[in-house]
Amino acid sequence: VLSIRGAQEEEPPDAQLMRLDNMLLAEGVSGPEKGGGSAAAAAAAAAAGGGGAGADNSAEHSDYRAKLSQIRQIYHTELEKYEQACNEFTTHVMNLLREQSRTRPISPKEIERMVGIIHRKFSSIQMQLKQSTCEAVMILRSRFLDARRKRRNFNKQATEILNEYFYSHLSNPYPSEEAKEELAKKCSITVSQVSNWFGNKRIRYKKNIGKFQEEANMYAARTAVNAANVSSHGSQANSPATPNSAASLSASVG
DNA sequence: GGCAATGATTGAAA
DNA sequence: TTTCAATCATTGCC
């Protein structure tokens, strides 16, 4: 009675095992040879491709699949090994008991108990295997999904647009949500990429203003030239920009 | 291969 | 929630 109660109180006995099994099945590690795995990989690839380009997605996808199938292979050979070892050990113990039965009476219940103990031992080992396999898959997935690993530099035009905004708003380089959306559209990047860029730019500029001085001068001059061109073309009527600031900027520079 | 530049992430602070 | 500051991971130049 004690042992039964103990077993029941030891949390759910195989709830964790079921969780592991479900996960391995979902990831395509323990399922049928092909199909489930590629589905999971495709889902992961789709999740990873949210950012931007995604043209070289198939290469990464196949890389992910290759690594997953490696994990899968190791998992299966290990599992098979344990099963074989379990069977061998069980028959070995059975033989011993059979031999012992010549010298002492051995009840079927005792044999059953022995087999149960052996199976429990081996299934706990299998559980460890499943757990470490799950961990390996999780690590693989997190690496695959980590956007830092497939970072691409923005193209020159995008960087120029962002820098232009930054240096022409140097006193308050915090674009509004609308401004971010517009910049994102112009640069063909996402709004969060714009936010990241400004976050990085602000902190790096602040940390080393001297290093960015040349760049700042260049963009200030360019902005001034643009402002001068706009005013010389007499397009004040359809220009929503504040004429005061533009005028003062162009006056002070040129 | 070493190194600086750069985009992304993370946790704390505002 | 947004921003800051530190850090990670990759890119690209030498």
Side-chain angles (χ1 to χ4, degrees):
Chain A
V1 172
L2 274 174
S3 75
I4 289 170
R5 188 181 291 169
Q8 282 177 337
E9 278 177 5
E10 244 178 45
E11 306 305 308
D14 48 12
Q16 200 189 349
L17 184 66
M18 256 172 67
R19 256 211 327 272
L20 291 174
D21 278 335
N22 284 341
M23 201 204 129
L24 291 173
L25 199 63
E27 293 298 332
V29 175
S30 64
E33 191 52 48
K34 270 173 189 170
S38 58
D56 51 346
N57 206 312
S58 60
E60 288 173 31
H61 186 178
S62 68
D63 190 36
Y64 175 84
R65 260 204 315 215
K67 295 212 165 100
L68 189 68
S69 92
Q70 208 177 329
I71 291 172
R72 179 196 171 92
Q73 201 176 343
I74 292 168
Y75 170 77
H76 276 111
T77 53
E78 290 290 306
L79 197 67
E80 212 170 299
K81 231 161 59 184
Y82 288 140
E83 262 165 28
Q84 202 182 330
C86 181
N87 288 339
E88 277 172 19
F89 194 70
T90 306
T91 54
H92 179 66
V93 169
M94 294 286 263
N95 288 339
L96 280 180
L97 286 175
R98 208 168 294 144
E99 251 176 62
Q100 274 192 25
S101 69
R102 291 184 205 147
T103 55
R104 70 177 178 93
I106 292 175
S107 68
K109 246 191 181 162
E110 194 177 334
I111 296 171
E112 204 178 301
R113 206 165 53 96
M114 274 304 234
V115 172
I117 288 169
I118 293 165
H119 282 196
R120 270 199 295 281
K121 279 279 173 212
F122 273 91
S123 71
S124 86
I125 293 171
Q126 279 189 359
M127 178 112 123
Q128 278 178 25
L129 172 67
K130 283 177 183 179
Q131 192 138 25
S132 61
T133 306
C134 275
E135 276 167 24
V137 172
M138 292 310 281
I139 289 167
L140 177 66
R141 256 192 103 121
S142 73
R143 282 175 157 256
F144 185 71
L145 294 176
D146 189 350
R148 279 180 295 202
R149 289 186 173 272
K150 45 185 177 304
R151 176 176 79 74
R152 295 283 177 277
N153 288 354
F154 299 154
N155 62 39
K156 205 175 166 190
Q157 197 186 354
T159 310
E160 295 215 339
I161 290 167
L162 294 167
N163 271 319
E164 226 158 78
Y165 188 100
F166 180 81
Y167 286 112
S168 62
H169 298 73
L170 205 49
S171 58
N172 185 34
Y174 296 86
S176 65
E177 196 56 35
E178 292 79 43
K180 282 182 188 173
E181 280 171 20
E182 197 177 325
L183 286 167
K185 203 190 256 178
K186 276 188 192 168
C187 300
S188 312
I189 59 179
T190 66
V191 172
S192 29
Q193 283 178 305
V194 172
S195 298
N196 286 342
W197 190 92
F198 273 88
N200 284 323
K201 191 72 184 183
R202 281 192 299 265
I203 191 71
R204 284 165 185 165
Y205 179 82
K206 198 178 82 174
K207 262 182 159 178
N208 193 349
I209 293 176
K211 197 178 82 179
F212 290 95
Q213 199 55 58
E214 203 179 322
E215 191 178 70
N217 292 339
M218 192 191 86
Y219 280 101
R222 194 184 295 187
T223 307
V225 168
N226 286 344
N229 283 343
V230 166
S231 60
S232 74
H233 283 131
S235 60
Q236 276 178 325
N238 56 9
S239 169
T242 56
N244 285 342
S245 62
S248 65
L249 190 74
S250 62
S252 65
V253 175

